[in-house]
Amino acid sequence: MNMSGTSDKLKGAVSKVKGEFKDQVGNATNDRDMQAEGKAHKAKGTLQDTVGDLKNTFTDK
């Protein structure tokens, strides 16, 4: 596995966890700004994960 893709996937996982935490805290405290920030982090994490997959696909050949 390519380390570059793995790095992106790891960053994606961290962003998703941070995003989920912020989303849940925002939900619990009725803080819409924090919820939005959490959703943005989760989306960023998904994108980073996809970039990692693509890098691994094209560099493992």
Side-chain angles (χ1 to χ4, degrees):
M1 185 179 288
N2 182 308
M3 290 305 294
S4 180
T6 302
S7 175
D8 286 314
K9 291 184 73 57
L10 180 60
K11 288 177 188 175
V14 170
S15 290
K16 287 180 188 179
V17 169
K18 281 172 58 174
E20 183 62 29
F21 178 77
K22 286 185 176 187
D23 191 14
Q24 293 302 319
V25 170
N27 190 36
T29 60
N30 203 29
D31 184 339
R32 294 191 188 276
D33 289 336
M34 186 171 282
Q35 281 179 298
E37 192 175 325
K39 290 180 189 322
H41 272 284
K42 287 193 284 187
K44 177 183 174 183
T46 299
L47 179 61
Q48 287 169 318
D49 193 36
T50 301
V51 167
D53 286 340
L54 288 171
K55 283 182 178 179
N56 287 338
T57 297
F58 289 107
T59 57
D60 284 348
K61 296 196 182 245

